[in-house]
Amino acid sequence: MNSAESAQDIPKFVEFFKGQLSLAEVKYPLEHFKTFNEFFIRELKPGARPIACMERDDVAICSADSRLMAFKSADDSLRFWIKGRKFSIQGLLGKDVCSNAFIDGSLVIFRLAPQDYHRFHIPVSGTIEKFINIPGCLYTVNPIAVNSKYCNVFTENKRVVSIISTAEFGKVALVAIGATMVGSITFSKKEGDYVKKGDEFGYFSFGGSTVICVFEKVEAVDLDPRKRLKDLTGTNCI
């Protein structure tokens, strides 16, 4: 996907996902992209994803274009969606990162499909404390795999855990998970950086992928879907 010849697949990809992929919001014209992966990690035009409630740090935003699932706790996620017997917050974050506060906290899952914009963004304002690389497999993250009773893709796939320290939400863990054909997760920020919600955080190269945000157990996290869908045209409120 990084060869010059791979650029020939871009028009076919666009045609295959016609109606699900808007070229009007892409920053550069198709002829700008010299490889397929350059197109896959395409940037959008300024303003294509308005940031909801930008003046309020007590409102988090979506990290990515995605199919979104939000749960008050890991137990709720197991009841309603994630059926893999091995899923746990500790398994997702790793024992070196996971605290008791995260174990009982809320989580939001952003599952990206191949046609989506594959750059992901900071959901909350704060300081990046650290990154932890966790090696693993590259299983698909489609709903069939997520519901498998034999494994759990979220705790077995390659992933990078980042911890963001915030004034409003305490610590927030953002997990970038590789999936089928996505062995490359690239970050545009580093440890110690102060970030504002909506800032670009990184991107996934070709394939499907997932971002999971885990919040500490605090009363401030409100997952009311009516509030979450406040801005349907951009990066939505949680």
Side-chain angles (χ1 to χ4, degrees), residues 1-55:
M1 292 299 173
N2 291 312
S3 67
E5 291 76 16
S6 68
Q8 299 173 14
D9 294 325
I10 296 174
K12 291 182 283 187
F13 183 86
V14 172
E15 179 62 26
F16 185 80
F17 289 108
K18 188 175 182 179
Q20 302 178 60
L21 191 162
S22 172
L23 294 180
E25 64 185 14
V26 178
K27 186 174 183 179
Y28 301 107
L30 287 187
E31 55 269 22
H32 170 85
F33 304 105
K34 305 308 180 186
T35 70
F36 185 87
N37 243 338
E38 283 188 10
F39 173 73
F40 191 77
I41 61 171
R42 60 196 176 274
E43 297 176 77
L44 300 183
K45 293 176 180 176
R49 296 292 181 273
I51 308 304
C53 309
M54 191 64 199
E55 72 287 354

Side-chain angles (χ1 to χ4, degrees), residues 218-231:
V218 291
E219 296 302 320
V221 178
D222 183 352
L223 298 179
D224 185 336
R226 292 168 297 180
K227 296 177 182 177
R228 184 169 66 248
L229 299 178
K230 178 177 180 180
D231 180 4

Side-chain angles (χ1 to χ4, degrees), residues 27-185:
K27 186 174 183 179
Y28 301 107
L30 287 187
E31 55 269 22
H32 170 85
F33 304 105
K34 305 308 180 186
T35 70
F36 185 87
N37 243 338
E38 283 188 10
F39 173 73
F40 191 77
I41 61 171
R42 60 196 176 274
E43 297 176 77
L44 300 183
K45 293 176 180 176
R49 296 292 181 273
I51 308 304
C53 309
M54 191 64 199
E55 72 287 354
R56 292 182 55 187
D57 284 345
D58 62 331
V59 177
I61 62 168
C62 288
S63 282
D65 283 5
S66 61
R67 288 109 213 98
L68 184 152
M69 300 287 286
F71 302 98
K72 279 289 189 182
S73 67
D75 286 344
D76 281 349
S77 73
L78 293 172
R79 283 198 297 271
F80 293 115
W81 195 53
I82 303 172
K83 307 304 181 187
R85 291 179 297 174
K86 299 180 182 179
F87 178 78
S88 68
I89 296 296
Q90 183 172 2
L92 175 70
L93 301 181
K95 62 181 180 181
D96 294 334
V97 172
C98 191
S99 67
N100 289 334
F102 279 130
I103 288 175
D104 295 322
S106 303
L107 66 154
V108 185
I109 302 170
F110 309 96
R111 186 175 63 83
L112 288 71
Q115 68 272 25
D116 290 330
Y117 165 67
H118 262 68
R119 292 175 183 257
F120 51 95
H121 292 252
I122 299 284
V124 291
S125 297
T127 301
I128 301 172
E129 285 193 356
K130 56 185 171 182
F131 292 93
I132 302 95
N133 287 281
I134 302 178
C137 304
L138 291 174
Y139 297 127
T140 177
V141 292
N142 69 36
I144 294 174
V146 170
N147 282 287
S148 170
K149 66 180 180 180
Y150 300 107
C151 69
N152 191 277
V153 298
F154 294 150
T155 58
E156 296 185 27
N157 274 22
K158 173 184 176 178
R159 57 200 182 279
V160 180
V161 179
S162 54
I163 303 298
I164 304 170
S165 180
T166 78
E168 300 290 346
F169 295 98
K171 295 185 190 300
V172 176
L174 186 145
V175 189
I177 303 174
T180 305
M181 298 179 288
V182 182
S184 176
I185 305 170

Side-chain angles (χ1 to χ4, degrees), residues 205-221:
S205 295
F206 179 65
S209 37
T210 295
V211 174
I212 299 181
C213 289
V214 184
F215 293 85
E216 290 185 326
K217 184 176 175 61
V218 291
E219 296 302 320
V221 178

